[in-house]
Amino acid sequence: MSGSLLVVSGPSGSGKSSLCRKICDTYDYAALSISTTTRALRASEKEGVDYLFTTKEAFEKAIEQGEFLEWAEVHGNFYGTSKRWVVDMLSKGKTVVFDIDVQGQAAIAKLFSDRLTSVFVTTPSLEILKDRLVKRATDNAETIERRLKNALDEMAQIDYFDYLVINDRFDESYETLKAIVLASRVKRSKVSLCDFISAWKA
Ligand code: 5GP
């Protein structure tokens, strides 16, 4: 496996999904992991593009069959990452980009510590986060309250991430993330030193 992994986490409304998509549109080698979820489809979303939408029963069956690299309950819904697809992309040398929560980051860090780069994206303040969630208008008031409450728990996990991006201006955050992606591709720990030196000498 020669690829690398880039996990992007952060509160709902931080702008991390848009940043991940733009990175994957920019670089041919960056591939976005499309998660499976039991959450209801939003009007703006498309099956297979934003998520693979499924039922709780089918999700539980997929867990039993070991189909997920990691899965978690987030804001009352289930979300999981396809193991087969990720392994396939890594074997092709891709940088797999994950738009997942802090639980997913912890699980992936345990599996791939040597080839993982993690980024936490947030807003300049809680007030700005609230404002963005309200303006986005994809969730009702109760869901927004739940997401804001969870944001505080997610912020408490920042210490476990390599980079912190305060997404005030999208274009600046995108430039920062591009620099992180480039650096993540040349992480020294990705390379087995013995193999590298033998090949270099030959
Ligand atoms: P949303 O419902 O807003 O699309 O996503 C809610 C949260 O679930 C976000 O923080 C998103 O990053 C996270 N999430 C999406 N897919 C996965 C996944 O496969 N695993 C984990 N652990 N979290 C995910």
Side-chain angles (χ1 to χ4, degrees):
M1 279 196 282
S2 57
S4 55
L5 302 93
L6 182 84
V7 168
V8 182
S9 302
S12 198
S14 60
K16 64 186 190 302
S17 304
S18 306
L19 286 167
C20 287
R21 287 197 176 268
K22 191 151 183 196
I23 286 292
C24 293
D25 287 346
T26 305
Y27 298 114
D28 285 345
Y29 58 71
L32 185 66
S33 169
I34 306 293
S35 301
T36 300
T37 185
T38 61
R39 170 166 74 58
L41 178 102
R42 293 176 183 147
S44 59
E45 292 177 327
K46 279 203 182 88
E47 162 69 26
V49 174
D50 296 280
Y51 283 106
L52 302 162
F53 294 90
T54 191
T55 60
K56 194 159 176 238
E57 292 68 35
F59 194 94
E60 282 167 352
K61 200 165 170 213
I63 296 174
E64 270 170 35
Q65 292 178 339
E67 288 177 20
F68 296 128
L69 190 63
E70 65 76 38
W71 65 269
E73 186 177 352
V74 191
H75 313 313
N77 299 300
F78 290 90
Y79 299 83
T81 300
S82 162
K83 190 190 290 176
R84 190 189 301 170
W85 184 84
V86 171
V87 170
D88 183 39
M89 288 298 123
L90 290 176
S91 71
K92 291 178 175 147
K94 299 276 185 188
T95 293
V96 184
V97 179
F98 300 87
D99 168 2
I100 59 177
D101 88 321
V102 293
Q103 302 172 76
Q105 185 271 341
I108 289 187
K110 278 194 193 137
L111 295 169
F112 299 97
S113 59
D114 54 347
R115 54 188 58 233
L116 167 67
T117 300
S118 57
V119 186
F120 193 94
V121 178
T122 190
T123 50
S125 69
L126 181 62
E127 202 186 333
I128 293 174
L129 184 68
K130 184 172 185 180
D131 192 49
R132 284 194 195 163
L133 283 175
V134 170
K135 283 192 181 134
R136 189 165 85 172
T138 49
D139 299 305
N140 60 31
E142 190 193 330
T143 306
I144 290 177
E145 273 317 307
R146 176 190 278 215
R147 285 176 180 243
L148 286 172
K149 196 171 151 287
N150 290 349
L152 297 172
D153 295 335
E154 290 170 300
M155 297 283 289
Q157 304 301 312
I158 286 176
D159 252 7
Y160 297 103
F161 286 77
D162 298 318
Y163 297 99
L164 171 63
V165 174
I166 312 284
N167 184 18
D168 190 9
R169 294 164 56 95
F170 184 86
D171 289 349
E172 278 175 23
S173 303
Y174 166 63
E175 290 302 323
T176 305
L177 198 56
K178 276 203 304 188
I180 295 172
V181 171
L182 295 180
S184 76
R185 303 264 302 169
V186 292
K187 226 179 160 173
R188 205 277 306 144
S189 56
K190 267 182 67 191
V191 176
S192 148
L193 212 55
C194 285
D195 294 351
F196 178 70
I197 291 176
S198 315
W200 187 78
K201 281 197 301 193

